Amino acid sequence: MNRPTPTVRLFNTLNRKKEVFMPMASGKVRMYTCGPTVYDYAHIGNFRAFVFEDLLKRWLKHRGFKVFHVMNLTDVDDKTIKGSQSQNTPLKQYTDFYANAFFEDAAALNIEPANVYPRATEHIPEMVALIKRLLAKGFAYESDDGSIYFAISKFPDYGKLSKIQVHDLKAGARVKVDEYAKEEAQDFALWKAWTPEDGDIYWETEFGKGRPGWHIECSAMSMKYLGETFDIHVGGVDNMFPHHENEVAQSEAATGKPFACYWLHNEHLLVEGKKMAKRFGNFYTFRDLQKKGCDPMAIRYLLLSTHYRQQFNFTFEGLEAAKSAVERLSNVMRRLQDADGKSSGEIAQLIINVGECFGDAMDDDLNVSVALASLFDFVREVNNLIDANNISKLEAKQAHSLLKSLDKVLGVVGEAEKKDTLQKEAQDLIAKREEARKVKDWKTADMLRQQLKAMGIIVEDTQQGVRWKVEEA
Ligand SMILES: [Zn+2]
């Protein structure tokens, strides 16, 4: 039976419905995802978004698309400035440290790297140029203190992404901070004139001494690397307003063209049923979980196993279940490599079934729970066949390669077997050493470096932060 060519459907926040995904250029996807603000270690809510984006990218690649992915690093904004000042560390040194930590965490979670990681501080001229376009077209104005604001009343489409209603009263009112509530929708800062609180963080530009607002950073960097209109923009639902709404307004006002064609937003993460917050004692960075001995692949599996548009409740019980799911998957793959029984002729149909079910579910806006259910049905059937010695070497090979191709989408088994994966003990030592360095305890840091060396791990302190590698045998 001929099946129709698979089509991927994605829920587009712009229209609040599932749409068949059609990239602008056939077979090629240009995708932008809001990256980390590098002012602290990324927490598991951040990683829910990053793992979802990774799953989306892997699925599009599985369906034959070539994906060009840009993820920015926000290395200057209200939070990074505040953080670097409170630590008495130059902004670059401060953000490099956390950018490096982010790359390490992302690698440990087997997140495929983006094609480009533009940093905001390296794109100030692009931001200035974009703001100039907005000024020239009358969408922006300078305030008394020399800051430049976007006039939301000049852009009739303002609110089209987050569906907020802008009340007339608010027109002309201004907000200078990067983050604010929907109820406070008003003219927002594109360029912030220097104030003494900014200390030595400013750029001398034709607008005078100052720094960019957070929102303009993403507009300038996405359009630089992906063009004025591109296919997919992804981010967490908490960034839909004001960040993404402002990105749309600035970009479309400047170019007169649509900005991103598809907007995807992942829902919030709860921890043990509650909003994750330091004051509730349920706030976890990825590193906190690693220190507790949690397996990165189980964390990855858990983060991706709930549909991205559902609120996701992270629990340690769930993490245990995720760990056994990953083990079940790697066990069956191991068993298939040794299987050498009689053919029952059943495997071919099972392979077709799981391929179709998994594929149909993922094409349906990444319905991962249905996809995983079909995958584990298949795993159970295959285990039964192996138990009864009813699977031939050739059949086992076919089943193995099917599982391998689906794991390339999930990314939970293949990497677990990579031999350069750092042992937990070594990861702990690296984290401890970073802690020591942070408080300038060089003696401890040096002792830990020696300890790591003895384990075959080389740690280097570069200008970009701490790097490590496994010593070649
Ligand atoms: Zn962004």
Side-chain angles (χ1 to χ4, degrees):
M1 186 181 71
N2 280 333
R3 286 169 56 81
T5 319
T7 46
V8 178
R9 277 163 299 132
L10 301 172
F11 186 91
N12 190 349
T13 307
L14 274 175
N15 303 318
R16 301 290 195 277
K17 59 180 187 222
K18 280 185 211 172
E19 295 174 346
V20 171
F21 174 61
M22 303 270 278
M24 294 168 70
S26 173
K28 288 185 186 150
V29 180
R30 285 176 295 164
M31 172 163 122
Y32 185 85
T33 60
C34 288
T37 299
V38 282
Y39 75 112
D40 202 345
Y41 294 115
H43 59 66
I44 52 173
N46 303 136
F47 277 111
R48 182 190 191 192
F50 302 144
V51 167
F52 155 61
E53 290 154 3
D54 189 49
L55 182 70
L56 170 67
K57 184 161 106 180
R58 286 166 179 256
W59 185 248
L60 292 171
K61 282 160 83 173
H62 182 86
R63 280 306 192 211
F65 293 103
K66 264 187 134 74
V67 182
F68 188 80
H69 175 204
V70 178
M71 177 188 265
N72 72 296
L73 300 180
T74 299
D75 62 352
V76 58
D77 77 321
D78 295 351
K79 289 180 189 163
T80 43
I81 292 174
K82 211 171 142 211
S84 70
Q85 287 173 344
S86 73
Q87 301 259 327
N88 233 335
T89 310
L91 183 69
K92 177 150 176 50
Q93 190 185 333
Y94 179 79
T95 56
D96 277 351
F97 176 86
Y98 288 110
N100 194 56
F102 165 72
F103 288 129
E104 285 176 11
D105 293 355
L109 282 165
N110 197 19
I111 292 172
E112 288 185 351
N115 297 80
V116 194
Y117 289 103
R119 290 173 195 235
T121 51
E122 290 165 10
H123 294 79
I124 304 292
E126 286 84 350
M127 294 170 206
V128 169
L130 187 55
I131 296 169
K132 277 174 74 181
R133 277 170 91 176
L134 289 167
L135 282 167
K137 285 185 146 188
F139 288 105
Y141 62 91
E142 193 177 331
S143 71
D144 298 341
D145 76 341
S147 296
I148 298 168
Y149 287 86
F150 185 90
I152 60 174
S153 61
K154 297 281 170 60
F155 186 70
D157 271 350
Y158 192 81
K160 74 172 178 179
L161 181 70
S162 59
K163 308 286 186 243
I164 59 152
Q165 300 291 323
V166 181
H167 299 291
D168 296 339
L169 280 173
K170 291 285 169 70
R174 291 191 289 264
V175 54
K176 197 171 177 184
V177 292
D178 288 333
E179 291 183 84
Y180 51 94
K182 275 185 182 183
E183 296 68 38
E184 291 158 18
Q186 49 201 294
D187 294 355
F188 58 90
L190 300 166
W191 183 259
K192 304 183 185 189
W194 182 84
T195 61
E197 295 90 75
D198 290 336
D200 59 355
I201 295 154
Y202 61 82
W203 283 263
E204 289 281 5
T205 69
E206 52 201 278
F207 306 139
K209 202 166 154 180
R211 61 176 173 104
W214 172 36
H215 316 297
I216 198 76
E217 298 180 1
C218 280
S219 287
M221 291 188 279
S222 57
M223 291 199 280
K224 170 166 180 175
Y225 293 97
L226 298 170
E228 293 183 343
T229 304
F230 55 90
D231 298 302
I232 305 181
H233 193 312
V234 195
V237 71
D238 46 328
N239 277 342
M240 194 192 298
F241 188 88
H243 186 52
H244 296 156
E245 190 70 61
N246 292 351
E247 279 187 50
V248 172
Q250 299 157 158
S251 309
E252 298 193 352
T255 66
K257 296 176 198 162
F259 179 47
C261 302
Y262 299 82
W263 278 87
L264 271 66
H265 287 97
N266 66 280
E267 261 297 333
H268 288 287
L269 170 133
L270 304 172
V271 176
E272 305 286 354
K274 272 197 268 180
K275 186 179 172 358
M276 182 167 82
K278 283 185 177 146
R279 67 197 150 97
F280 296 147
N282 67 349
F283 183 94
Y284 297 109
T285 64
F286 170 65
R287 290 178 180 225
D288 293 333
L289 296 180
Q290 275 187 313
K291 277 180 205 156
K292 279 173 165 289
C294 303
D295 173 41
M297 288 304 99
I299 298 170
R300 178 182 169 93
Y301 181 93
L302 185 59
L303 290 175
L304 63 71
S305 60
T306 296
H307 188 250
Y308 74 95
R309 282 190 294 116
Q310 283 175 12
Q311 278 206 348
F312 164 62
N313 186 20
F314 182 96
T315 65
F316 284 94
E317 207 182 306
L319 195 55
E320 277 307 304
K323 194 174 170 204
S324 42
V326 174
E327 274 164 14
R328 232 180 308 154
L329 210 50
S330 36
N331 280 342
V332 78
M333 289 175 77
R334 213 171 302 129
R335 290 188 84 194
L336 280 167
Q337 282 178 319
D338 302 331
D340 188 7
K342 286 198 306 283
S343 164
S344 65
E346 278 178 52
I347 200 77
Q349 191 57 46
L350 291 175
I351 289 177
I352 291 172
N353 291 351
V354 68
E356 286 179 3
C357 288
F358 191 99
D360 288 349
M362 291 297 281
D363 283 344
D364 180 18
D365 192 35
L366 266 66
N367 193 339
V368 71
S369 5
V370 173
L372 289 173
S374 72
L375 173 62
F376 282 100
D377 279 346
F378 177 75
V379 169
R380 198 188 56 240
E381 304 267 16
V382 169
N383 274 325
N384 289 343
L385 288 173
I386 299 174
D387 290 343
N389 207 24
N390 272 342
I391 186 163
S392 72
K393 209 176 174 66
L394 178 66
E395 289 173 327
K397 207 172 157 193
Q398 290 164 340
H400 188 270
S401 70
L402 183 269
L403 285 171
K404 217 171 146 182
S405 79
L406 298 186
D407 179 58
K408 199 149 170 45
V409 176
L410 302 172
V412 291
V413 174
E415 286 304 300
E417 289 168 354
K418 261 199 176 170
K419 59 173 187 289
D420 64 352
T421 300
L422 268 191
Q423 295 301 311
K424 199 199 146 289
E425 198 187 340
Q427 281 167 344
D428 287 352
L429 292 178
I430 289 176
K432 269 192 204 149
R433 183 170 172 276
E434 279 167 34
E435 292 294 312
R437 278 166 47 80
K438 244 166 101 181
V439 297
K440 303 193 179 359
D441 178 0
W442 308 119
K443 208 176 140 192
T444 309
D446 219 52
M447 190 192 77
L448 290 164
R449 182 210 290 269
Q450 293 306 323
Q451 223 172 315
L452 282 157
K453 191 170 184 332
M455 294 167 72
I457 289 154
I458 306 291
V459 184
E460 288 166 347
D461 303 309
T462 69
Q463 282 211 309
Q464 285 72 43
V466 182
R467 296 194 190 286
W468 56 265
K469 61 179 187 212
V470 178
E471 206 173 19
E472 298 292 341

